[in-house]
Amino acid sequence: MTVELKNELKVYSRPESLTDTATHYCPGCTHGVAHRLVAEVIDEMGLRERTIGVASVGCAVFAYNYFDFDFVQAPHGRAPAMATGVKRTLPNNIVFTYQGDGDMASIGMGEIVHAAARGENITVIFINNANYGMTGGQMAPTSLPGQKTTSSPNGRDVETMGYPIRAAEMLSTLDGAGYIVRRSLHDPKNIRMAKKAIRTAFETQVRGLGFSMVELLSICPTNWGMSPTQSLQWLEEKMVPYFPLGDYRVSSAVAEIKI
Amino acid sequence: MTVELKNELKVYSRPESLTDTATHYCPGCTHGVAHRLVAEVIDEMGLRERTIGVASVGCAVFAYNYFDFDFVQAPHGRAPAMATGVKRTLPNNIVFTYQGDGDMASIGMGEIVHAAARGENITVIFINNANYGMTGGQMAPTSLPGQKTTSSPNGRDVETMGYPIRAAEMLSTLDGAGYIVRRSLHDPKNIRMAKKAIRTAFETQVRGLGFSMVELLSICPTNWGMSPTQSLQWLEEKMVPYFPLGDYRVSSAVAEIKI
Amino acid sequence: MAVKGRIVVNELYCKGCEMCVAACPQEVLALAADRITAKGYHPAELIADGCTGCGICAVVCPDAAITIYREAARAAAQVRVP
Amino acid sequence: MAVKGRIVVNELYCKGCEMCVAACPQEVLALAADRITAKGYHPAELIADGCTGCGICAVVCPDAAITIYREAARAAAQVRVP
Amino acid sequence: MQTEILIAGFGGQGVLFAGQLMAYAAMDEGRQVTWIPSYGPEMRGGTANCTVVISDEEIGSPMVRYPQAVIAMNLPSLEKYEASLLPGGLLVINASFSGHPLKRTDIRSVAIPGNEIAEELGDKRMTNMVLLGGLLANLPILPLEAIEKALAAHLPARHQRLLPLNFKALRRGAEFVAETVGR
Amino acid sequence: MQTEILIAGFGGQGVLFAGQLMAYAAMDEGRQVTWIPSYGPEMRGGTANCTVVISDEEIGSPMVRYPQAVIAMNLPSLEKYEASLLPGGLLVINASFSGHPLKRTDIRSVAIPGNEIAEELGDKRMTNMVLLGGLLANLPILPLEAIEKALAAHLPARHQRLLPLNFKALRRGAEFVAETVGR
Amino acid sequence: MTRELMKGNEAIAEAAIRAGLQAYFGYPITPQTELLEWMARRMPELGRAFVQAESELAAINMVYGSACTGARTMTSSSSPGISLMLEGLSYIAGTEIPMVLVDVMRGGPGLGNIAPAQADYNQIVHGGGHGDYRAIVLAPSSVQESIDLTVLSFDLAEKYRSIAVVLLDGSIGQMMEPAELPAMQPIRKTLPAWAASGCVGRDRNVLSSIYLNPSEEEDCNLRLMRRWQEIEANEIRYKEYYMEDARFVVVGFGSAGRVALSAVRAARADGIPVGLLRPITLNPFPIDAIAEISKKTEAMLVVEMNAGQMLEDVRLATAGRTPVEFFARLGGIMPFPDEILTEIRSLAAGNYSLEGHPRNRWLARMVNKN
Amino acid sequence: MTRELMKGNEAIAEAAIRAGLQAYFGYPITPQTELLEWMARRMPELGRAFVQAESELAAINMVYGSACTGARTMTSSSSPGISLMLEGLSYIAGTEIPMVLVDVMRGGPGLGNIAPAQADYNQIVHGGGHGDYRAIVLAPSSVQESIDLTVLSFDLAEKYRSIAVVLLDGSIGQMMEPAELPAMQPIRKTLPAWAASGCVGRDRNVLSSIYLNPSEEEDCNLRLMRRWQEIEANEIRYKEYYMEDARFVVVGFGSAGRVALSAVRAARADGIPVGLLRPITLNPFPIDAIAEISKKTEAMLVVEMNAGQMLEDVRLATAGRTPVEFFARLGGIMPFPDEILTEIRSLAAGNYSLEGHPRNRWLARMVNKN
Ligand SMILES: Cc1ncc(C[n+]2csc(CCOP(=O)(O)OP(=O)(O)O)c2C)c(N)n1
Ligand SMILES: Cc1ncc(C[n+]2csc(CCOP(=O)(O)OP(=O)(O)O)c2C)c(N)n1
Ligand code: SF4
Ligand code: SF4
Ligand code: SF4
Ligand code: SF4
Ligand code: SF4
Ligand code: SF4
Ligand SMILES: [Mg+2]
Ligand SMILES: [Mg+2]
């Protein structure tokens, strides 16, 4: 049906920093939400022409097709190193990586720890969806104990497969980190909080206050084998308890940022 | 001079688990102390024939020449992965890595974090001497702020070179870790405490209680440009404050171990 | 009397994930059972009066497919969305 | 009267680092200025009476070059060293 | 003699399984056979396809440039593969998705309302079987019975109860006769 | 004409610097020259050596199998390199470390109590200069003055005050005359 | 035993298990992932070691450790993942211990794509890692051959204390074909004398790739070279088709060889006297066989799914005796039989030369491809 | 300018700086470390970017990011470290952006030792990374040439949007020789159009190595191949010595070529008509020059510090026209002039053959080495 409004006003529309391209993400995948939030923040801060994104290897490997600013694409796990190279060469540009949990917390562990330890003045958007989405749902370092994946067919056995890694907590032990928080994308309230955190992270970088990372709990309906809405529920009920939302490192300087 | 004692008793001599080879270490280098302590513990626990050591790349690369049991030698930073391969294949053997701070905390960060997260049932002897000894004294992730090294000739500038990594604290955030402590080798009292910790770490492995690591603050007279005794003092005055000695993770099961 | 608003779903982007449908407090959204997009999805659409232009559907939409309009009078207030 | 002991320094291993010298509570150790080992180091040696066999020198010796002896009577007590 | 069939549609339409059934059947019939899927992130995009080659001698390429038959279960597949069909080849179209006119005039084609028939049979998931039936009726490389044997053997346990329905779907699809496309 | 000299001793005896001085001097004299050290973990073991090649034409290998001259500043070096010396070559020995008999009888050699002379001059670190002086006195490839110029130019600022002492050490060493080793 | 319809990746995994695999370490990557997933299910249920490593770098070093214990051990990956394993492979070669690597190649360079390619031939055959070392390289062209060569790879690796690589492209890994698996072999109980397994009642074993003294390193290198001479003498394998009366010969390995076979058949049907040589061991390479052929034939055609990597080895073997022409599709495209047939016809029509480089002629022909 | 006595590693570092280097990323490894240490001091004092990376893997990817901005950027390492950079190098090649890599080779395989070697020729010249790509490879044989080729490498890398490698062995890196440095070049102010530097007033630039669609990947591969044809046409460099009347020719690069020169001189003194060809670009390789020589000479001798890697490229170029013999020392040993002289004498005495493989004859001669 079509609703008629007299002298209506457009109060929200697709952010400018997104291209006019439909994503390849599965229906309901919150990678899309994370993209949108980053784009909205870049728009609101007027950073589009200054920003250089670093895509990683994962379902978001094609992020450069969806963001309307300069982008480079890193080998699996190496985005923080690549971002370091970009930022050190162009210190006045805004550089962020967009990485999945397999990319950042598994193969890319060395690079993320050292980027944080160096206080590299970059921003990391970390998508934790408790599995390797792109390759078809294998176990990630973030997969929950007992979680069934294609590489833990009987559920993750912590005795042989180890325990999930809480990246935000771990990286928060490093002095170079200015802002490290965890948020979730499972409902409007949390999505709004996620956006605020992304804003703060970019503000941290703009002010040169060191390494910033926002971990976002995200769904993978396809590999979780659930509908998008069921997935949101699973995230809230299963993931949030294991990956508590909150601020893990907010340097005093960052704490002063008012948005 | 020679002292004469009537019916004397030998109360201490070189441990059996050390070969009759003089080390290539510089005079006073506490790598030698760490070796001796490990050998004493292996002797006392009667593990010599069960133990497989994993040498890393650093001044201790030739550790296999000095320990009298089976040894393999890993690529730079990969000792925890190699140890995992050994331990998973021979679960009843005792497997430990011996790694420097460049090896473990720089290039090998990914492997050590994941070995700990997996709760890999191995022991890690981590020698923190605040620099890359073997290659001639470059900055390590553990080099102190302001510390002059051949790759930080004007002193480590935390703004551009980042902050020292406290490995014990960081790894302690991982659920797979059973025993993680930091000790120092700068005087007899601390050396005795270090030995006790090494004993506990191996007991942890023998009992199958998960990943264990003992971080040992160690001197590098040659590259620090000091005499061995000056170096011990520098360690105590400069390193200990930045790398507090103590127990960072002792699982309840490990806490029950009586030595 | 409630704010008046409306939304437009861009069918180039919409994948019929139903997240907006589930999130809409006014329950005025549903997937168009009769229609499929070029990509083969049933797109979301307004199915009843009562949209307040609250923007919640846009907040949850993973594909940034939704545009929100409000009646000028109220919109003036300009609650930043989302 | 103090425990009596003595030490033997194996010159194959000793590198004259002086850590034992610095650590010995009885100050009965010194480097042999007159002698050098095959590796070219002045080895440590006992220079005076008074060694108690406390084992501290062996505890600090990076090259496990030191063997400790004690007079049987007291040694019986067997304070594990180090 | 060698026959190459390409089956394409949305992920979830049972495209890959339909192809595997033909491969199992061909193997049981003692023929040489290869099955190869499109793989990887293409999944994400939502489309999937697989190629089945059935032959009497050692098979060369498992991938085919000009297949002898195509099952197009959705519009994008039809647009993508109509052109590649071998002249005189067979095009099986899921009519539920498109009535749009064909460009080729040198092929045989049959449009089957797969979804409708499946829903009419009471289970939307039968669409692939309906179209497979339609293919085999017009390209008799394998007897329907062989497919049914394969179904019985390889339908996941939790779906075995659907066996009869699958058979029905095959038969219903087999009732459609292809004709050469005219201007 | 090409001359190859190897200088070996403990780390810290100034072996590498002595070689570099010859290289600087040779360069200033307009000769071709290469200097190459032993490098890497060998340091740890405590021994160090370097090879200097001085020539009138483009130099091939900077490493040498049979040097024409060897300065052995300690016992291990003497044992290691005596054998490699070219027949008729010159062996300069730091007598402070060894009086032990030579095996070769086809070479010239000179034993100089380097440490004693250095300590007598008041600075143990002069040992390398004493032996270098001894070498150049018996293998006149470079004038002592050239070495002195190099010293003045390359002695670290903090050691410049030791310049005269270095000169003295060179001269003292140059007073020793080599003779062919007899049985 | 009976034939089953199996996916290449899964067939290789099960074949390795039945060959007595004791430990598997790997990391997911398309188009190899099904192999890891099969191991993830089967190895634990058999009580054997399986670890999904944090990276390929970790995986190869886990294999390194496992191989040091004398166990049958392996990993698998695809192009970018293999590049990350090269340091480890060089160490393993230098340590002279056996291991098996399965490489399911995809399109490159870089992230490239996941379609089938053969562009890592040089990396695997001519030593991607640092230092002088060689690996035995086996190249299957079907699911059945993948099974057979996987089993063989373990035996060869152990016989020569060498790395053995099973090298295939994504299409073989992803394809289903009927094939027969071997019977389950029992796990070897005795350990090799060199294994690091605890020095019970023997002197310690040390396994390392370090020889600080160059002359000892030279000895190690010479030992490796001489072992390789043995391998060259004993292990060269290849398959010939229609060679009796062939005046033209196509050379291709793996999928390219398989596709070429269709083209050769078609050409034979046209009466063109063409044969096919399909190398099965890419290393050691069938140099003498090709040299012999080059003495008897008018011209040869090398077909690859890369820009002419094996081509150079073929040219080296022919030593300028016979013109060698080249055809390839790149970047994940498999050549189609009709394309190769066209090339064969052109060859038979006398379009070949000893001058210049065949790659340049091919590039000229590729001008209006795509 | 005046000659200074400089260590190879430091001379290369300063030469790169004077060539306008904007960013350096590296990790310590013997025998390359002095290069990094020089950068650690000089780059910050010039206000340019220097990062001691956490690993070679990180270093090459920092370079990747930096190169994407259009800056002059480089890294340096030695054998094992280079193996860790191969995935990144493949990505950089696939992204078609310029960068410079300095590889100071040491003894291998594995950890091996730190003595001078040339055993990574194949890794660098024949693509150690996955996929079809090539890098321009320059091989200096002295400190002066190291300086000159380092400067050249930046120009070539940018001209062809290619990786340029300066490949040397530890002895050149560690050796001091008198040499002359170039004047300091100003840093380029303008950015190339393709650079990712912020999309101010232009459409966005995206730099990646992905072509999910195989036919686009094929286009990329073909584009790389055609660019390489240009490079082959324009950039081949080599140096000839005593070639006029040479009936025998020695071929060697870098240090091996340098040592061979002493031997050739000595042989000439003995009246043996022998010359030397020293390839300076190992990639592209002086194929035609060698082909020409092979037409005019009785026999050739390849001398390397590896087990015969460049040897195969020389044999390929000679296409069986001329016997090629081989001599090498391995594992960190530099051949000595007298050894090569012996080989030249033997060659002149007629000890050469077209049959069999020269490597096998050399191995036979190596029986009682060491
Ligand atoms: C070196 C390397 N190893 C493995 C892969 C295969 N690979 C592609 S994406 C991926 C995992 C991605 O998972 P994650 O980072 O969690 O992203 P998601 O898809 O879940 O968003 C892997 C293993 C690769 N491309 N490169
Ligand atoms: C892949 C690789 N990179 C670099 C090196 C060079 N390297 C050898 S030891 C070492 C650092 C060792 O430092 P650390 O681990 O702190 O040990 P230490 O010598 O201080 O005890 C480095 C960088 C190497 N051998 N391999
Ligand atoms: S696979 Fe999972 S993560 Fe990837 S796009 Fe689909 S839903 Fe999103
Ligand atoms: S360099 Fe430092 S760490 Fe290495 S042996 Fe010498 S003192 Fe010890
Ligand atoms: S949330 Fe967006 S994509 Fe999903 S159904 Fe609603 S409009 Fe379509
Ligand atoms: S704007 Fe608010 S009321 Fe209107 S459709 Fe969206 S969610 Fe429902
Ligand atoms: S501590 Fe050991 S090595 Fe050092 S001087 Fe004393 S005995 Fe010698
Ligand atoms: S045993 Fe004790 S008293 Fe005796 S020398 Fe050693 S430290 Fe001194
Ligand atoms: Mg993920
Ligand atoms: Mg260290």
Side-chain angles (χ1 to χ4, degrees), chain A residues 1 3 5-14 20-23 25 27-29 32-33 36 44 191-192 229 232, chain C residues 6 12-13 15 17 19 22 41 46-48 58-64 67-72 80-82:
Chain A
M1 68 172 292
V3 183
L5 297 179
K6 6 195 160 17
N7 58 27
E8 63 187 11
L9 260 178
K10 187 190 287 183
V11 290
Y12 178 78
S13 63
R14 189 175 170 86
D20 304 338
T21 321
T23 70
Y25 301 117
C29 176
V33 175
R36 205 193 69 234
E44 290 161 21
I191 291 173
R192 287 208 170 85
T229 38
L232 294 173
Chain C
R6 70 180 183 98
L12 163 64
Y13 304 120
K15 297 187 188 131
C17 71
M19 306 236 279
Y41 302 113
L46 274 174
I47 52 159
V59 171
V60 299
C61 178
D63 291 279
T67 310
I68 312 274
Y69 297 89
R70 285 210 207 127
E71 218 167 40
R80 250 216 356 34
V81 177

Side-chain angles (χ1 to χ4, degrees), chain H residues 198-256:
Chain H
C199 56
V200 181
R202 60 160 169 80
D203 288 352
R204 74 190 201 283
N205 283 336
V206 171
L207 292 167
S208 106
S209 64
I210 311 174
Y211 298 93
L212 202 59
N213 174 345
S215 76
E216 287 167 20
E217 183 71 69
E218 184 171 64
D219 290 342
C220 167
N221 275 264
L222 290 170
R223 187 166 59 245
L224 288 172
M225 291 302 305
R226 297 197 169 107
R227 189 173 303 152
W228 188 254
Q229 287 179 310
E230 264 181 69
I231 295 171
E232 283 179 324
N234 307 336
E235 307 299 346
I236 289 172
R237 290 168 169 77
Y238 55 89
K239 196 152 179 223
E240 294 182 320
Y241 306 79
Y242 305 104
M243 291 292 292
E244 331 53 55
D245 62 339
R247 278 170 45 224
F248 305 96
V249 172
V250 179
V251 184
F253 72 93
S255 287

Side-chain angles (χ1 to χ4, degrees), chain B residues 138-158:
Chain B
Q138 295 77 27
M139 183 181 77
T142 47
S143 296
L144 300 180
Q147 184 180 338
K148 280 192 166 55
T149 71
T150 61
S151 60
S152 58
N154 305 317
R156 181 178 191 156
D157 170 2
V158 294

Side-chain angles (χ1 to χ4, degrees), chain C residues 7 23-29 46 50-58 68:
Chain C
I7 72 158
C24 173
Q26 311 303 326
E27 300 180 356
V28 294
L29 290 175
L46 274 174
C51 168
T52 62
C54 69
I56 285 178
C57 51
I68 312 274

Side-chain angles (χ1 to χ4, degrees), chain H residues 154-317:
Chain H
F154 284 96
D155 299 335
L156 294 182
E158 280 171 3
K159 178 171 180 195
Y160 298 103
R161 290 180 63 168
S162 165
I163 297 165
V165 182
V166 179
L167 185 69
L168 57 151
D169 66 70
S171 73
I172 300 174
Q174 292 297 322
M175 167 170 61
M176 287 180 106
E177 273 187 317
E180 195 174 313
L181 285 163
M184 179 71 79
Q185 280 181 40
I187 295 218
R188 192 179 5 70
K189 288 273 160 292
T190 61
L191 287 174
W194 49 260
S197 52
C199 56
V200 181
R202 60 160 169 80
D203 288 352
R204 74 190 201 283
N205 283 336
V206 171
L207 292 167
S208 106
S209 64
I210 311 174
Y211 298 93
L212 202 59
N213 174 345
S215 76
E216 287 167 20
E217 183 71 69
E218 184 171 64
D219 290 342
C220 167
N221 275 264
L222 290 170
R223 187 166 59 245
L224 288 172
M225 291 302 305
R226 297 197 169 107
R227 189 173 303 152
W228 188 254
Q229 287 179 310
E230 264 181 69
I231 295 171
E232 283 179 324
N234 307 336
E235 307 299 346
I236 289 172
R237 290 168 169 77
Y238 55 89
K239 196 152 179 223
E240 294 182 320
Y241 306 79
Y242 305 104
M243 291 292 292
E244 331 53 55
D245 62 339
R247 278 170 45 224
F248 305 96
V249 172
V250 179
V251 184
F253 72 93
S255 287
R258 174 183 180 132
V259 177
L261 180 55
S262 308
V264 166
R265 275 213 206 85
R268 279 280 173 178
D270 291 7
I272 301 175
V274 59
L276 170 70
L277 181 136
R278 182 168 63 80
I280 290 171
T281 52
L282 299 181
N283 215 19
F285 193 69
I287 295 170
D288 298 343
I290 291 172
E292 280 318 305
I293 289 169
S294 70
K295 291 171 187 160
K296 291 183 277 161
T297 52
E298 253 175 62
M300 301 173 72
L301 172 69
V302 171
V303 177
E304 298 186 77
M305 288 153 60
N306 65 50
Q309 297 186 18
M310 182 184 71
L311 170 64
E312 301 297 21
D313 289 329
V314 172
R315 291 179 65 230
L316 204 47

